[in-house]
Amino acid sequence: MTTANNPTIARWVSPAVRAMHAYQRQPTTVAYAGLTKLDAMENPYAMPAELQRQWREALQTVALNRYPDPSCADLAATLRQTCALADAYGLVLGNGSDELLLLLALLLGGRDRTFIAPTPTFVMYQQLSIATGTRFVGIPLRADFSLDETAMLTAIDELEPACIFLANPNNPTGNYFAAAGIAAIIERAPGVVVVDEAYFAFGGRTVVDDLARHANVMVLRTLSKEGLAGLRLGMLIAHPDWCDELEKIRLPYNINTLTQLSATFYLRHYAVMQQQVRQICDERARLYAAMRALPDLTVYPSETNFLLFRVANADRIFTKLQTHGLLIKNLHPPNEPNHPLTNCLRVTIGTPPENNQFLTALMTIV
Ligand SMILES: *Cc1c(COP(=O)(O)O)cnc(C)c1O
């Protein structure tokens, strides 16, 4: 049934939301069953068997008939310790950092508000702006995907954004923005600057140390890319006053008991995840070097667990890779010839055998 057939939807759901497409509607597990999954920036490694056994044992103590601890006391303390987070900073936990982005949009958005972000970037910033009736303006990155500082500062002065989203490193381009550009944006912004450090583990740079000097800067982190995507746990680090405001609109039990226990457990064995992250970074270097040697292909440097690359015909290569048993991400926009991601594909770094499978297939196809 289309919206046109349902006058109640047409009357009450905003035109902006009706025009949206749901994020990743395709259930990859069904539609792409059996393919090597290099599309979603997941950590390809399983936890060691002995750790998994201890984790399952710990799960047996969970009382599912009871509500979770709304303050997530154990988990928050463990996170603070793992991230060496100063007590002066506040912490808000979310069901993935996606949920924290939603809370920010609810807190700061609305009909007469504007959010901006350099684009192309993580699509949730725009999706959540639309969902909350907030105007979203994307400020194009330069052709090499670096930050256009002048364009950003002009947009800030003209649009007075309530919130600026900076994914750093950026998804899907993989690069860091220049620190001087970020600093200039923070100085000029009349509202909040959210620095989304989803890929912090793979690059290591952070603005957390600047939080003490800038009351309106927030940092987002997630455990998804490091190995716990299925758990859904993100965190927002900010001045405690901002956290107090966010806590008012956070659902009290957004972090379920299984997530609280499991994340606390695995964070206490964080060295295991760090070791896996190092392997992923080594493989990233190997894959990057091998792809640079391929003809008719441009691969972009990356500080994340994925590589962005441009080919002559992204649709063809995306489809061909599937016949070789591989699922990556096709970023080529169908009807926008001058889009910065024209003929771009994104591959997540897998295990060495998975990466070899990808490289062999790519060499055959390109
Ligand atoms: C993956 C990603 C997120 C979302 O992470 P979750 O914690 O899994 O919701 C947020 N921001 C960026 C830039 C990402 O790439």
Side-chain angles (χ1 to χ4, degrees):
M1 191 188 210
T2 63
T3 309
N5 297 333
N6 189 326
T8 317
I9 290 178
R11 179 174 174 193
W12 295 107
V13 179
S14 79
V17 170
R18 276 186 281 134
M20 278 169 84
H21 296 285
Y23 180 74
Q24 283 184 359
R25 186 189 294 273
Q26 193 80 265
T28 52
T29 43
V30 179
Y32 298 109
L35 298 187
T36 300
K37 210 171 166 303
L38 301 177
D39 67 321
M41 282 83 87
E42 292 148 338
N43 172 346
Y45 298 104
M47 293 296 176
E50 172 55 21
L51 258 195
Q52 290 195 36
R53 194 194 58 75
Q54 290 176 25
W55 165 64
R56 274 194 293 273
E57 202 170 281
L59 283 181
Q60 288 171 16
T61 65
V62 166
L64 282 183
N65 56 320
R66 304 293 178 195
Y67 279 106
D69 170 9
S71 72
C72 300
D74 284 351
L75 177 54
T78 309
L79 275 169
R80 280 186 179 278
Q81 205 174 16
T82 311
C83 304
L85 209 65
D87 288 339
Y89 304 144
L91 196 60
V92 182
L93 303 187
N95 188 354
S97 47
D98 282 351
E99 191 196 22
L100 295 166
L101 289 167
L102 173 62
L103 290 184
L104 285 169
L106 289 171
L107 188 72
L108 303 169
R111 303 250 164 246
D112 50 356
R113 305 288 180 89
T114 303
F115 294 161
I116 71 171
T119 50
T121 191
F122 188 49
V123 293
M124 288 308 289
Y125 308 146
Q126 178 165 18
Q127 299 275 99
L128 295 172
S129 302
I130 296 170
T132 54
T134 313
R135 180 182 178 204
F136 178 86
V137 180
I139 312 300
L141 293 168
R142 294 208 191 86
D144 64 355
F145 298 135
S146 63
L147 195 66
D148 188 340
E149 187 183 318
T150 311
M152 286 297 292
L153 295 181
T154 305
I156 289 168
D157 291 345
E158 283 174 3
L159 301 169
E160 299 209 309
C163 189
I164 302 168
F165 296 100
L166 299 173
N168 203 43
N170 190 33
N171 172 9
T173 60
N175 57 309
Y176 274 113
F177 298 138
I182 296 177
I185 288 168
I186 289 172
E187 286 300 330
R188 194 77 74 94
V192 169
V193 179
V194 174
V195 182
D196 184 345
E197 299 182 350
Y199 300 94
F200 169 71
F202 306 93
R205 285 189 226 166
T206 181
V207 297
V208 164
D209 304 322
D210 295 344
L211 292 181
R213 279 180 291 120
H214 298 285
N216 303 321
V217 175
M218 302 180 185
V219 172
L220 271 182
R221 297 268 184 90
T222 174
L223 296 184
S224 295
K225 315 289 152 77
E226 291 165 78
L228 300 174
L231 271 188
R232 312 303 300 133
L233 188 78
M235 65 170 171
L236 181 144
I237 310 162
H239 189 284
D241 289 349
W242 275 115
C243 296
D244 288 348
E245 299 304 315
L246 284 161
E247 284 294 335
K248 294 175 191 170
I249 58 172
R250 178 178 70 85
L251 297 176
Y253 305 115
N254 64 331
I255 314 296
N256 71 71
T257 312
L258 296 174
T259 296
Q260 291 192 34
L261 186 139
S262 305
T264 305
F265 176 86
Y266 280 115
L267 284 167
R268 289 188 180 135
H269 300 93
Y270 193 59
V272 174
M273 272 191 275
Q274 282 179 307
Q275 173 60 30
Q276 295 176 344
V277 164
R278 276 193 294 275
Q279 280 177 272
I280 291 167
C281 290
D282 288 348
E283 279 295 288
R284 176 181 71 198
R286 183 174 76 91
L287 210 56
Y288 177 75
M291 288 172 73
R292 275 197 72 157
L294 292 180
D296 304 322
L297 183 153
T298 307
V299 58
Y300 294 89
S302 168
E303 308 274 357
T304 65
N305 62 345
F306 62 81
L307 288 170
L308 180 78
F309 60 107
R310 200 187 296 272
V311 291
N313 186 336
D315 289 342
R316 185 184 80 87
I317 292 192
F318 176 71
T319 311
K320 280 261 183 184
L321 282 170
Q322 282 178 40
T323 65
H324 283 78
L326 287 148
L327 179 66
I328 65 167
K329 178 85 175 176
N330 185 1
L331 297 164
H332 177 74
N335 301 314
E336 294 171 71
N338 296 318
H339 194 279
L341 296 176
T342 294
N343 283 317
C344 280
L345 298 164
R346 187 186 65 199
V347 62
T348 302
I349 311 298
T351 61
E354 288 172 342
N355 299 331
N356 288 340
Q357 183 194 354
F358 170 71
L359 275 177
T360 307
L362 200 61
M363 283 192 251
T364 315
I365 300 164
V366 175

